[in-house]
C-alpha cells in the first residue's frame, strides 16, 4: 500500500509536468508512518519563526528553562539516542531543538508594541542573548528570508515584514557602548548589513508577489524611512506592471516585451558611456598620483633604482621653505635638506621628518656620517666622476670618545651614558628590521640568511632590550616561563633561572616566541610590518603569516642551533655554561608553545588564540625533531599540554546544564574539548618521534620517561590523554625495538618504586584515618575479600587512586614480559606499602586473565611461583586465585589444578608441611572425593584459611547449598566441589584421630562454621542434621561424635529450628534408639532439657517424645531433669 501511494504521487507529479525529484507537501500521503505533513508544517513554522527572530533581534535570545518543562527530557533523549519516550520520534526530536528558540523570540515579539508611526522598535539593551550574529551570519539569515519569500508565497508577507522591520531598526555601531547586546559588529560590517537589508527590501518590493500578497506597504514604508523613496516608487511600479501582465492578454505582454527591450538597450548604452568616463577620470587621477609618488600613501618602488628615480622626479615638489619638526612648531632643524634627507623621507614614508635629530643612528647609522665632494676638477666632471669623502659627525665621535674614556677610567659621564643607550637602541632597531624583513621576504634563501644573521646577533647583543615591534614577543616569553614555573610549584619563584635567562637575553627570548605571537594575529609580524613602514612592508604579495612550519630555517630553530654551536667551546667551563644556555633556550621555546595552547584553553572562543595554539601545537613535533638536541626538561614542559582537565570539566558542566544553555554553547564547548585533546595528542607525537628517531640513548630515554609518567599519572593528564599515552607506550614504543622495550620497563619500574615510596610515606596517616573510620562503625567485619580490598577512609581512597595507574601500567608490561612479575610482587610487598599491595590485588584479575590467555594458566602459575620469595607469598596467592577465576563460569582446568598441587609440594612451610593456601584457588574444580581427603589439611590450618577453603569449595554450587548429592557412579566419581550441606556432613564424619587432629581442633572447626550464620544459615544446618539423622535411622551410618553437640549449639544459635528439632529430629533419634550410645544419649537428654526449660510455643511436642521413652531411659531423664 505504501508503494502504491508513492506511485500515485509520482503520476500526479508527471501530470503536473514537474520533476520526479521535486518535493511538495501535497505529494506526502496522509498518515505516513514516520513523517507526516503535519509534523513537517510544524517544523517549518518553528524554523521560520526562529529565522525571523535571528534577523530582527540580531542574535539568539536566551532561552528560559521554565518556558517548556519537557524540553530537557526530549533533548536528552535526542542526544543520547535512546528509543521510545518523548524523544523517540525524529520529528519530535527536531521540534524539541528549534521550538525553544522560536518561543523565546515570540515572547519578545509579543511584548513589543508598535508605535503610532508604525515603527517596530526593540530595546536590545534589556535582552540577554546567548550569541550575536556576525556579518556573515547576517548575510545568511537575510538571504534565507529573501529566498523563502520568493520561493514560498505563503511566507512572503511575513518575510517582507521581517526584513522591513529590520531595515527600519538596523544594527548600529557604537564604540562607546558598554552593552554588547547593542552591536558586536565593526563599523564596516554594520554598513554592509544595512546595505544588504535595503537591497533585499528593494528586491522583494520589485517582485510581483509584493502586490498580490499585500506586503508592499511595509516594504515601501521601510525604504522611505531610509531615504530610498524614489527607488521604492520605481520598484513598486515595476511590481504592479508584472502583476498585471500575469492576467493581461497576449497583445499587452508583447508590447511589454518590446518596451523592455528598448529600455534595456538604451540603459546599457547610457551606463556604458558613463562607466567609460568614470574609468578615464580614475585612470588620470592615478597617473597623476603615481607621477608624484602618491596614491594610498607613498607607493614604495620595488628596487633602489626606481626609488632614486622617484626622488629625482619629486625634487621639484619640495617647498621653498623648510618645514618645522611638528607642523606649526618653531623648532628649527639642524640637518640640511639634501638628497639624503629626501631619500630618508621617501624610504620611511615620512617618518624621518618627525624623527629626533639627536639620534645619530637613524638610517641604519647613516645619520652619523656626512658626505662631501672633494674633487671639482674639469677632468673628473667631464668623465662624470667625483671624489666623495665620508666623515663621522663630530658629536657622535665625541660621544664615542667619552664613552671609551669613561670605561677605561671607571667613571661614565652623562654623554657616555646617552651614547651607550643610543647604541643599544640602535642595535635593537637594526635587529628588529632584520627580523621583520627576514620574516616577510619572498625568497626563502633570503629569509634564511636573515634568520641566521638575527640568530647570531641575538646571542651577541646581550642585555639589549627589543624594540616596540618585538616587545610583545618578549612579554609572551616571560609570561610563558612564569606559568611553567607556577605549574611545577604553587608559589611564584622570582629567582627562576628561565625568567632570569629571558631578562638577561631579551632578544633571544623574543625571537623564540615571535613565530607564535605573529601567528595569533595580534602584536606580531603582521602588526609590526604595518607600523614600521619599511619598503618591504608594502609589497604586494608579501607573506605576513607565521613561519611555524617546522623547517630548520625558521628563526626559532636558528636561535637554538646557534646556542647549540656555542656549547662546543674550547674551555670546559664555558662549554658547560653554553650547554645550560641551550637547554634554557629550548625550555623557553617549548614553554611558549604550551602557553599559547593554555591561553586557547582559557578562552576557546578567541579565534586569534585558537589559531596561534593550533599552529604552535601542530608544529611542535617537527620543531623538536629538527633541533640538534632535546632535554628532559623540554619534554616535561611539552607533556604539560596533556593537562586539559579544566577544559573537560567546563564541557561536562555545560553538558549537565543542557536545559539552561543553547545548543551552540554546548557545541562550542565540545569543539574546545576536541581541540585541546588534539593539541595534547601533538605532545604525545613529539614524545613518540623523539623516542624513535633520536640517536642518543639519553634523549630516547627522556622521551620514554615522560610518556610513561603521563600514563602512570605522575605528570598531569586527562583520562582520555592517559589512555592514548598507554596505547603509545604499549602498542608503539614497546614493540618497536628491544632497546625501547627495556627503556619502557625501566621507566615503569621507577614509577612503581615511586608509588611504593608514596604509599610508605603515607602509611601512618592512612592507618590513623582507617582507625578513626572503624571506630565510628558498630561492626567492622572485613573478612570478605571484596570488603577487605576496598578503601576504608577517604585518605586511603585517594592514595589507592594515586598508586593504581603505575600498578596497572606495570601489570600490562608483565603480560609482555612475565619475568618482571616478580618485580611487581617484590615492590608491592615492601613494608608499609599496604596501599600499593591492595591496589595491585584489586587489579590482579587483569594481569591473571590476560597472562592466562597468552601463556597458559598452568605455565604462568609455575613460572611465577619459582621466582618469588617468602615475603611475596600473599600476592602469589592472589595471583593464583585470579588465575582460577579467569575463565567465566568454568571450573579450573586440570592443568591448573595439577600446577597448584605441584606448587604446594615445592613450597613447604618451615616445618616441612604442605601449605593448604596454594590449593584453595582450585578446590572448586577438584573432585569431591579428593576434597574429603584434604579436609584435614584445611581444618589443621588457621581459621582464615579454613573458612576461605570452605567458601571456595561451594562458590559454584550455590543452587545446591541445601543438598547432599549422591555420586551417579561411585566407581568413577564425577562430582566437583562441595556444597555447604556436604561440608557440614563430612566435617562431622571426619576421623580426626586417624588423621592426627586434636579433638579440640575438630570441634572448634565445626563451631566456627556454626558461627558463620550468613554462610551456614539455619536452612543449611537443618539440611545437614536431617541428612545425618536419616542415615542413622536407616542404619547406614552411626551418629558422628559431635552430632548432639551441634544440635545443642544450634538450639542456642537458631531459635527458628526449635520446633523442627522437637517435632522431627529428637523423636527420630528416639526411634533410632539413640539411647544405646551413652555419649549421644547424654547429649539428647541435655538438648531435651534445654528445650523443655525454654517453654517456647511449638515445643510442647517434646513432652510426647519424652513420654515415649522406654521406662529405664525415662527414669534416667527425669532424674537428670529434676537434679
Amino acid at each position: 500500500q505504501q508503494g502504491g501511494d508513492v506511485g500515485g504521487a509520482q503520476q500526479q507529479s508527471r501530470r503536473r509536468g514537474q520533476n520526479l525529484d521535486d518535493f511538495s507537501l501535497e505529494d506526502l500521503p496522509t498518515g505516513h508512518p514516520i513523517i507526516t505533513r503535519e509534523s513537517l508544517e510544524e517544523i517549518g513554522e518553528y524554523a521560520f519563526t526562529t529565522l525571523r527572530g535571528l534577523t530582527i533581534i540580531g542574535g539568539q535570545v536566551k532561552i528560559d528553562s521554565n518556558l517548556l518543562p519537557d524540553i530537557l527530557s526530549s533533548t536528552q533523549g535526542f542526544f543520547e539516542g535512546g528509543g521510545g519516550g518523548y524523544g523517540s520520534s525524529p520529528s519530535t526530536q527536531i521540534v524539541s531543538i528549534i521550538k525553544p528558540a522560536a518561543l523565546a523570540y515570540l515572547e519578545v515579539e509579543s511584548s513589543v508594541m508598535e508605535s503610532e508611526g508604525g515603527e517596530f522598535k526593540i530595546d536590545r539593551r534589556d535582552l540577554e542573548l546567548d550569541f550575536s550574529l556576525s556579518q556573515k551570519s547576517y548575510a545568511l539569515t537575510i538571504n534565507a528570508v529573501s529566498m523563502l519569500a520568493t520561493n514560498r508565497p505563503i511566507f512572503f508577507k511575513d518575510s517582507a515584514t521581517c526584513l522591513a522591520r529590520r531595515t527600519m531598526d538596523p544594527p548600529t555601531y557604537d564604540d562607546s557602548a558598554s552593552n554588547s547586546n547593542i552591536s558586536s559588529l565593526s563599523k564596516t560590517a554594520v554598513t554592509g548589513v544595512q546595505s544588504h537589508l535595503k537591497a533585499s527590501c528593494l528586491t522583494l518590493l520589485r517582485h510581483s508577489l509584493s502586490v498580490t500578497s499585500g506586503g508592499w506597504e511595509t516594504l515601501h514604508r521601510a525604504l522611505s524611512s531610509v531615504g530610498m523613496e524614489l527607488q521604492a516608487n520605481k520598484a513598486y511600479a515595476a511590481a504592479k506592471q508584472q502583476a498585471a501582465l500575469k492576467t493581461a492578454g497576449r497583445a499587452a505582454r508583447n508590447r511589454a516585451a518590446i518596451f523592455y527591450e528598448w529600455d534595456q538597450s538604451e540603459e546599457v548604452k547610457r551606463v556604458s558611456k558613463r562607466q567609460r568616463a568614470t574609468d578615464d577620470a580614475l585612470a588620470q587621477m592615478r597617473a597623476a598620483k603615481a607621477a608624484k609618488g602618491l596614491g594610498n600613501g607613498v607607493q614604495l618602488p620595488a628596487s633602489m633604482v626606481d626609488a632614486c628615480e622617484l626622488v629625482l622626479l619629486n625634487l621639484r615638489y619640495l617647498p621653498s621653505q623648510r618645514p618645522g619638526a611638528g607642523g606649526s612648531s618653531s623648532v628649527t632643524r639642524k640637518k640640511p635638506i639634501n638628497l639624503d634627507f629626501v631619500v630618508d623621507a621617501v624610504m620611511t614614508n615620512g617618518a624621518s621628518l618627525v624623527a629626533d635629530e639627536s639620534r645619530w643612528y637613524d638610517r641604519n647609522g647613516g645619520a652619523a656620517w656626512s658626505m662631501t665632494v672633494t674633487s671639482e676638477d674639469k677632468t673628473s666632471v667631464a668623465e662624470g666622476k667625483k671624489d666623495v669623502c665620508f666623515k663621522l659627525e663630530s658629536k657622535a665621535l665625541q660621544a664615542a670618545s667619552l664613552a671609551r674614556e669613561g670605561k677605561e677610567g671607571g667613571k661614565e659621564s652623562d654623554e657616555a651614558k646617552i651614547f651607550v643607550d643610543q647604541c643599544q637602541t640602535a642595535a635593537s632597531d637594526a635587529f628588529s628590521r632584520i627580523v621583520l624583513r627576514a620574516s616577510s621576504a619572498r625568497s626563502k634563501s633570503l629569509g634564511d640568511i636573515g634568520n641566521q644573521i638575527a640568530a647570531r646577533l641575538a646571542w651577541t647583543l646581550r642585555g639589549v632590550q627589543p624594540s616596540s615591534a618585538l616587545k610583545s614577543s618578549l612579554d609572551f616569553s616571560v609570561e610563558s616561563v612564569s606559568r611553567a614555573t607556577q605549574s611545577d610549584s604553587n608559589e611564584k619563584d622570582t629567582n627562576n633561572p628561565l625568567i632570569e635567562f629571558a631578562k638577561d637575553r631579551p632578544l633571544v627570548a623574543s625571537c623564540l616566541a615571535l613565530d607564535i605571537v605573529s601567528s595569533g594575529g595580534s602584536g606580531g609580524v603582521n602588526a609590526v610590518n604595518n607600523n614600521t613602514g619599511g619598503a618591504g612592508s608594502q609589497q604586494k604579495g608579501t607573506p605576513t603569516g607565521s613561519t611555524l612550519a617546522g623547517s630548520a630555517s625558521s628563526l626559532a630553530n636558528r636561535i637554538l642551533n646557534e646556542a647549540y654551536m656555542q656549547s662546543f667551546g674550547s674551555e670546559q667551563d664555558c662549554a658547560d655554561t653554553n650547554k645550560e644556555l641551550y637547554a634554557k633556550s629550548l625550555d623557553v621555546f617549548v614553554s611558549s608553545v604550551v602557553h599559547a595552547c593554555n591561553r586557547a584553553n582559557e578562552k576557546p572562543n578567541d579565534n586569534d588564540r585558537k589559531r596561534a595554539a593550533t599552529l604552535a601545537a601542530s608544529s611542535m613535533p617537527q620543531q623538536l625533531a629538527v633541533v640538534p638536541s632535546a632535554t628532559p626538561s623540554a619534554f616535561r614542559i611539552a607533556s604539560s599540554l596533556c593537562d586539559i582537565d579544566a577544559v573537560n570539566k567546563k564541557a561536562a558542566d555545560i553538558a549537565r546544564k543542557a536545559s539552561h544553555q543553547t545548543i551552540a554553547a554546548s557545541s562550542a564547548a565540545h569543539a574546545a574539548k576536541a581541540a585541546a585533546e588534539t593539541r595534547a595528542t601533538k605532545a604525545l607525537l613529539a614524545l613518540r618521534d623523539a623516542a624513535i628517531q633520536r640517536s642518543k640513548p639519553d634523549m630516547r630515554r627522556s622521551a620514554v620517561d615522560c610518556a610513561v609518567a603521563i600514563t602512570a599519572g605522575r605528570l598531569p593528564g586527562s583520562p582520555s590523554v592517559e589512555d592514548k599515552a598507554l596505547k603509545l607506550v604499549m602498542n608503539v614504543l614497546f614493540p618497536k625495538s628491544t632497546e625501547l622495550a627495556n627503556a619502557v620497563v625501566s621507566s615503569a619500574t621507577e614509577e612503581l618504586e615511586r608509588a611504593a615510596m608514596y604509599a610508605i610515606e603515607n602509611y601512618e596517616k592512612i592507618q590513623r584515618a582507617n582507625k578513626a573510620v572503624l571506630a565510628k562503625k558498630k561492626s567492622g567485619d572485613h573478612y570478605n575479600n571484596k570488603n577487605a580490598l576496598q578503601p576504608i577512609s577517604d585518605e586511603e581512597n585517594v592514595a589507592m587512586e594515586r598508586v593504581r595507574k603505575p600498578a596497572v601500567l606495570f601489570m600490562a608490561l608483565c603480560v609482555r614480559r612475565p619475568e618482571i612479575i616478580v618485580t611487581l610482587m617484590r615492590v608491592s610487598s615492601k613494608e608499609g606499602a599496604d596501599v600499593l599491595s591492595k591496589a595491585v590485588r584489586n587489579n590482579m584479575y587483569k594481569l591473571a586473565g590476560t597472562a592466562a590467555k597468552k601463556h597458559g594458566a598452568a605455565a604462568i602459575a609455575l613460572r611465577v611461583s619459582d621466582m618469588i620469595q617468602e615475603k611475596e607469598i600473599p600476592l602469589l596467592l592472589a595471583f593464583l586465585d585470579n588465575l582460577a577465576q579467569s575463565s567465566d563460569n568454568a571450573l579450573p582446568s586440570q592443568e591448573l589444578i595439577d600446577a597448584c598441587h605441584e606448587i604446594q609440594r615445592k613450597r613447604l612451610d618451615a616445618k616441612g608441611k604442605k601449605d593448604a593456601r596454594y590449593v584453595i584457588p582450585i578446590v572448586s574444580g577438584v573432585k569431591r572425593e579428593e576434597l574429603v581427603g584434604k579436609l584435614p589439611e584445611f581444618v589443621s590450618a588457621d581459621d582464615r584459611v579454613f573458612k576461605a577453603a570452605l567458601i571456595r569449595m561451594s562458590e559454584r554450587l550455590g543452587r545446591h547449598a541445601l543438598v547432599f548429592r549422591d555420586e551417579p557412579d561411585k566407581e568413577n566419581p564425577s562430582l566437583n566441589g562441595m556444597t555447604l550441606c556436604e561440608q557440614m556432613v563430612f566435617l562431622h564424619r571426619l576421623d580426626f584421630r586417624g588423621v592426627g587432629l586434636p579433638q579440640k581442633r575438630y570441634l572448634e572447626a565445626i563451631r566456627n562454621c556454626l558461627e558463620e550464620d550468613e554462610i551456614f544459615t539455619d536452612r543449611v544446618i537443618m539440611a545437614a542434621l536431617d541428612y545425618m539423622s536419616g542415615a542413622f535411622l536407616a542404619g547406614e551410618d552411626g551418629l558422628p561424635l559431635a552430632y548432639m553437640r551441634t544440635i545443642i549449639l544450634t538450639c542456642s544459635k537458631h531459635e527458628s529450628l526449635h520446633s523442627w528439632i522437637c517435632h522431627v529430629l529428637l523423636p527420630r533419634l528416639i526411634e533410632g534408639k539413640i539411647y544405646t550410645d551413652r555419649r549421644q544419649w547424654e547429649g539428647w537428654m541435655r538438648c531435651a532439657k534445654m528445650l523443655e526449660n525454654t517453654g517456647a510455643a511449638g515445643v510442647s511436642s517434646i513432652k510426647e517424645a519424652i513420654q515415649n521413652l522406654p521406662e529405664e531411659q525415662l527414669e534416667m531423664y527425669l532424674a537428670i531433669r529434676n537434679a
Side-chain angles (χ1 to χ4, degrees):
Q1 184 181 0
Q2 186 176 352
D5 293 339
V6 175
Q10 294 177 352
Q11 292 176 3
Q12 293 177 6
S13 299
R14 294 192 187 98
R15 286 196 297 269
R16 291 194 300 266
Q18 297 178 351
N19 190 356
L20 293 178
D21 295 334
D22 291 344
F23 175 77
S24 176
L25 288 177
E26 301 296 336
D27 298 335
L28 191 67
T30 305
H32 193 276
I34 298 178
I35 304 175
T36 63
R37 176 178 177 180
E38 290 78 11
S39 62
L40 288 179
E41 288 177 347
E42 184 182 14
I43 293 172
E45 186 66 24
Y46 283 127
F48 178 63
T49 304
T50 303
L51 186 62
R52 289 193 302 116
L54 292 174
T55 305
I56 292 179
I57 301 297
Q60 174 60 55
V61 181
K62 188 173 184 62
I63 299 174
D64 187 5
S65 60
N66 299 321
L67 196 60
L68 289 176
D70 57 343
I71 293 255
L72 177 60
S73 60
S74 62
T75 306
Q76 184 176 3
F78 172 74
F79 282 106
E80 294 179 354
Y86 184 81
S88 60
S89 174
S91 59
T92 306
Q93 296 168 2
I94 299 175
V95 169
S96 65
I97 297 175
I98 61 176
K99 185 176 181 180
L103 294 180
Y105 166 67
L106 291 177
E107 185 180 14
V108 175
E109 187 181 40
S110 62
S111 62
V112 177
M113 303 298 296
E114 294 190 7
S115 61
E116 296 181 359
E119 296 183 6
F120 186 83
K121 295 183 179 180
I122 297 178
D123 190 4
R124 294 174 177 80
R125 292 173 298 181
D126 298 332
L127 295 179
E128 186 177 1
L129 303 181
D130 283 327
F131 63 88
S132 300
L133 296 182
S134 62
Q135 184 181 6
K136 186 176 181 180
S137 302
Y138 263 115
L140 291 175
T141 54
I142 295 172
N143 290 336
V145 174
S146 300
M147 293 172 62
L148 189 63
T150 55
N151 291 286
R152 292 289 182 266
I154 191 174
F155 293 104
F156 185 91
K157 187 173 182 179
D158 292 335
S159 301
T161 303
C162 173
L163 294 178
R165 287 176 174 176
R166 193 53 172 160
T167 302
M168 290 185 288
D169 186 18
T172 58
Y173 174 75
D174 187 6
D175 55 355
S176 63
S178 60
N179 193 343
S180 60
N181 290 340
I182 298 178
S183 177
S184 60
L185 303 175
S186 62
K187 186 175 183 180
T188 305
V190 168
T191 305
V193 173
Q194 293 177 354
S195 301
H196 195 178
L197 288 170
K198 297 175 186 177
S200 300
C201 289
L202 194 62
T203 302
L204 293 184
L205 183 58
R206 191 181 294 114
H207 202 280
S208 60
L209 289 175
S210 64
V211 178
T212 58
S213 64
W216 68 271
E217 296 91 349
T218 305
L219 294 171
H220 192 279
R221 184 169 65 251
L223 292 172
S224 300
S225 64
V226 293
M228 296 181 64
E229 184 176 3
L230 181 61
Q231 293 88 334
N233 293 332
K234 291 183 179 181
Y236 178 59
K240 289 195 298 182
Q241 186 177 12
Q242 292 179 10
L245 287 176
K246 290 184 178 181
T247 58
R250 184 184 301 273
R253 289 197 298 270
N254 291 338
R255 288 194 301 271
I258 295 174
F259 171 76
Y260 289 148
E261 183 178 355
W262 287 348
D263 183 70
Q264 183 180 6
S265 62
E266 185 67 23
E267 182 70 12
V268 170
K269 184 184 300 183
R270 184 172 61 85
V271 171
S272 177
K273 181 178 180 181
R274 185 172 65 248
Q275 184 65 36
R276 287 197 301 271
T278 303
D279 292 343
D280 293 342
L282 183 60
Q284 292 176 3
M285 182 186 67
R286 289 175 176 174
K289 286 186 175 182
K292 297 182 180 181
L294 302 176
N296 296 326
V298 178
Q299 299 297 316
L300 299 178
S303 65
M304 184 58 68
V305 176
D306 295 338
C308 294
E309 293 179 355
L310 180 62
V311 169
L312 295 175
L313 182 63
N314 285 275
L315 284 176
R316 61 178 179 272
Y317 296 108
L318 293 177
S320 58
Q321 295 182 356
R322 182 176 184 176
S328 61
S329 175
S330 60
V331 178
T332 59
R333 292 183 177 271
K334 300 179 181 179
K335 293 184 179 179
I337 300 178
N338 50 19
L339 181 61
D340 291 339
F341 182 85
V342 177
V343 170
D344 288 344
V346 173
M347 297 302 295
T348 61
N349 275 338
S352 64
L353 299 178
V354 294
D356 186 3
E357 293 188 1
S358 63
R359 301 196 333 183
W360 56 267
Y361 54 84
D362 280 351
R363 284 197 308 110
N364 297 332
W369 299 84
S370 62
M371 181 185 70
T372 57
V373 179
T374 59
S375 178
E376 293 291 347
D377 57 327
K378 296 181 179 181
T379 304
S380 300
V381 173
E383 294 178 355
K385 298 179 181 179
K386 293 185 179 181
D387 294 335
V388 180
C389 179
F390 292 93
K391 295 181 179 179
L392 189 64
E393 288 288 346
S394 58
K395 295 190 68 175
L397 181 61
Q398 182 180 2
S401 301
L402 292 174
R404 181 177 180 181
E405 293 175 359
K407 186 176 181 180
E408 293 177 354
K411 295 183 180 179
E412 190 174 7
S413 61
D414 295 338
E415 292 82 359
K417 292 181 180 179
I418 295 175
F419 177 79
V420 172
D421 293 340
Q422 290 201 7
C423 285
Q424 292 184 351
T425 307
S428 177
D429 289 349
F431 179 80
S432 300
R433 286 194 296 271
I434 294 174
V435 170
L436 300 178
R437 296 290 176 84
S439 64
S440 60
R442 292 184 178 181
S443 174
K444 183 177 180 180
S445 59
L446 182 60
D448 188 19
I449 294 175
N451 288 335
Q452 293 183 45
I453 297 173
R456 181 63 61 86
L457 289 176
W459 286 104
T460 303
L461 300 175
R462 181 175 182 178
V464 175
Q465 296 296 324
S467 63
S468 58
L470 301 179
K471 187 65 169 59
S472 59
S473 300
L474 177 60
D475 296 339
F476 189 89
S477 294
V478 175
E479 185 179 0
S480 300
V481 297
S482 178
R483 289 286 185 91
T485 305
Q486 293 177 2
S487 63
D488 294 337
S489 59
N490 295 329
E491 299 181 359
K492 186 175 180 181
D493 188 4
T494 56
N495 297 325
N496 185 298
L498 292 182
I499 297 179
E500 294 179 357
F501 169 79
K503 294 180 179 180
D504 185 51
R505 300 182 182 271
L507 294 181
V508 174
S510 60
C511 290
L512 290 173
L514 178 62
D515 287 346
I516 299 175
V517 175
S518 63
S519 63
S522 61
V525 175
N526 299 345
V528 172
N529 282 344
N530 294 333
N531 294 333
T532 54
S537 63
Q538 296 292 336
Q539 294 177 1
K540 185 178 180 180
T542 300
T544 57
S546 172
T547 58
L548 282 171
S551 62
S553 60
S554 65
L555 180 57
N557 284 104
R558 288 298 182 187
I559 292 287
L560 295 173
N561 292 340
E562 186 67 26
Y564 186 74
M565 293 300 297
Q566 292 182 10
S567 64
F568 296 96
S570 57
E571 298 181 2
Q572 184 65 28
D573 296 339
C574 180
D576 295 338
T577 303
N578 291 334
K579 286 182 180 179
E580 293 179 1
L581 292 179
Y582 171 77
K584 293 177 181 178
S585 302
L586 185 59
D587 291 348
V588 170
F589 171 72
V590 179
S591 299
S592 301
V593 175
V594 173
H595 183 52
C597 298
N598 291 336
R599 292 175 75 246
N601 293 337
E602 293 171 359
K603 292 186 177 181
N605 295 328
D606 192 327
N607 292 328
D608 291 339
R609 293 190 177 189
K610 287 194 295 185
R611 187 186 308 109
T614 301
L615 292 174
S618 60
S619 65
M620 186 177 65
Q622 292 87 346
Q623 293 279 6
L624 292 180
V626 299
V627 295
S629 178
T631 60
S633 59
F635 288 138
R636 286 194 299 270
I637 296 174
S639 300
S640 61
L641 281 178
C642 300
D643 186 11
I644 57 174
D645 285 337
V647 180
N648 292 340
K649 183 178 180 182
K650 186 183 298 183
D653 292 341
I654 294 178
R656 284 194 298 268
K657 301 176 183 178
S659 60
H660 304 284
Q661 299 290 336
T662 63
I663 299 175
S666 179
S667 301
H670 179 73
K673 176 183 176 182
E677 289 184 356
T678 302
R679 292 190 288 267
T681 305
K682 297 297 182 182
L684 297 179
L685 293 179
L687 297 177
R688 179 203 64 183
D689 296 341
I692 295 176
Q693 298 175 3
R694 289 290 178 177
S695 58
K696 295 184 178 180
D698 55 343
M699 295 185 195
R700 296 158 66 95
R701 177 61 189 275
S702 299
V704 172
D705 287 344
C706 287
V708 172
I710 295 173
T711 307
R714 181 168 59 87
L715 294 180
S718 65
S720 60
V721 177
E722 289 178 353
D723 184 60
K724 292 180 180 179
L726 178 61
K727 294 178 181 178
L728 169 65
V729 172
M730 297 302 302
N731 301 337
V732 179
L733 299 181
F734 187 87
K736 187 67 177 179
S737 65
T738 305
E739 180 186 358
L740 282 178
N742 295 334
V744 169
V745 172
S746 179
S747 299
T749 304
E750 293 178 359
E751 295 296 334
L752 189 65
E753 293 283 357
R754 290 191 181 96
M757 186 59 62
Y758 172 83
I760 294 172
E761 292 175 354
N762 293 271
Y763 174 75
E764 295 182 357
K765 176 183 176 182
I766 295 172
Q767 291 299 317
R768 289 194 299 268
N770 289 348
K771 290 180 180 178
V773 172
L774 293 176
K776 296 179 181 179
K777 294 183 178 180
K778 295 181 180 179
S779 61
D781 186 9
H782 296 278
Y783 163 72
N784 192 342
N785 288 337
K786 294 182 179 179
N787 291 336
L789 296 180
Q790 295 301 319
I792 300 175
S793 61
D794 293 338
E795 288 78 0
E796 188 177 16
N797 188 22
V798 173
M800 285 185 64
E801 186 63 25
R802 166 68 177 81
V803 302
R804 180 186 62 83
K805 295 176 182 178
V808 171
L809 171 63
F810 201 86
M811 287 180 177
L813 293 173
C814 290
V815 178
R816 306 286 182 91
R817 287 190 176 181
E819 62 271 13
I820 65 175
I821 295 179
V822 62
T823 305
L824 173 67
M825 296 184 177
R826 175 182 55 79
V827 176
S828 303
S829 301
K830 288 184 176 181
E831 185 177 358
D834 295 356
V835 173
L836 178 59
S837 178
K838 185 179 289 188
V840 170
R841 283 181 287 169
N842 263 327
N843 296 274
M844 187 68 78
Y845 69 94
K846 301 178 181 178
L847 172 61
T850 311
K853 292 179 181 179
K854 186 172 183 179
H855 305 285
I860 196 66
L862 291 171
R863 187 173 182 180
V864 173
S865 66
D866 292 338
M867 294 187 295
I868 67 162
Q869 302 298 324
E870 187 70 22
K871 196 174 182 179
E872 294 92 32
I873 288 179
L875 289 178
L876 171 62
L877 297 174
F879 182 69
L880 295 177
D881 186 70
N882 286 275
L883 278 179
Q885 302 181 26
S886 59
S887 57
D888 298 335
N889 299 323
L891 296 174
S893 63
Q894 188 60 40
E895 292 80 6
L896 181 59
I897 294 175
D898 296 339
C900 289
H901 284 99
E902 181 67 21
I903 294 172
Q904 187 187 31
R905 285 192 295 269
K906 289 181 179 180
R907 304 190 66 88
L908 302 177
D909 58 11
K911 298 180 180 180
K913 296 182 180 181
K914 294 182 179 179
D915 194 339
R917 294 179 296 174
Y918 295 111
V919 295
I920 290 178
I922 47 88
V923 291
S924 61
V926 178
K927 296 293 186 289
R928 188 180 70 176
E929 185 178 3
E930 298 180 16
L931 291 177
V932 173
K934 285 190 171 292
L935 271 179
E937 295 183 16
F938 300 134
V939 173
S940 61
D942 58 67
D943 292 343
R944 184 175 56 85
V945 175
F946 172 63
K947 294 176 182 179
L950 295 181
I951 293 173
R952 182 55 61 89
M953 289 180 191
S954 61
E955 67 178 359
R956 298 181 184 271
L957 300 172
R959 297 180 183 178
H960 310 286
L962 307 179
V963 179
F964 187 94
R965 300 168 297 167
D966 294 329
E967 286 282 359
D969 187 0
K970 294 184 178 181
E971 296 181 359
N972 298 313
S974 60
L975 296 179
N976 295 314
M978 189 179 292
T979 66
L980 296 176
C981 177
E982 293 169 351
Q983 291 175 13
M984 290 298 297
V985 172
F986 287 118
L987 278 175
H988 280 80
R989 292 179 177 178
L990 179 64
D991 185 8
F992 59 90
R993 294 188 181 91
V995 296
L997 276 176
Q999 180 179 349
K1000 181 180 179 181
R1001 179 58 187 167
Y1002 162 73
L1003 299 175
E1004 185 180 356
I1006 297 176
R1007 186 183 186 91
N1008 290 336
C1009 293
L1010 295 176
E1011 290 178 354
E1012 292 292 333
D1013 52 357
E1014 293 184 0
I1015 301 174
F1016 294 92
T1017 62
D1018 55 351
R1019 301 290 301 278
V1020 174
I1021 303 301
M1022 175 181 172
L1025 295 176
D1026 184 70
Y1027 178 82
M1028 288 185 285
S1029 64
F1032 169 70
L1033 184 62
E1036 297 175 359
D1037 291 313
L1039 292 176
L1041 175 65
Y1043 184 78
M1044 288 309 303
R1045 181 176 181 272
T1046 301
I1047 295 177
I1048 295 174
L1049 294 176
T1050 302
C1051 292
S1052 303
K1053 188 74 174 177
H1054 303 287
E1055 294 183 4
S1056 59
L1057 297 180
H1058 286 185
S1059 178
W1060 175 78
I1061 293 173
C1062 294
H1063 284 82
V1064 179
L1065 187 58
L1066 293 183
R1068 181 185 298 173
L1069 296 177
I1070 294 297
E1071 185 179 356
K1073 299 181 180 181
I1074 190 175
Y1075 46 80
T1076 58
D1077 187 341
R1078 183 182 61 82
R1079 297 188 64 177
Q1080 300 292 350
W1081 170 240
E1082 291 178 357
W1084 190 97
M1085 289 189 294
R1086 291 181 59 187
C1087 180
K1089 180 180 179 182
M1090 178 187 303
L1091 292 174
E1092 191 176 11
N1093 292 334
T1094 58
V1099 298
S1100 59
S1101 58
I1102 189 64
K1103 297 180 180 180
E1104 298 178 2
I1106 294 172
Q1107 295 299 328
N1108 294 330
L1109 288 172
E1111 183 178 355
E1112 182 180 357
Q1113 281 72 27
L1114 178 60
E1115 293 178 357
M1116 187 181 301
Y1117 171 75
L1118 294 176
I1120 294 176
R1121 186 185 65 178
N1122 298 327

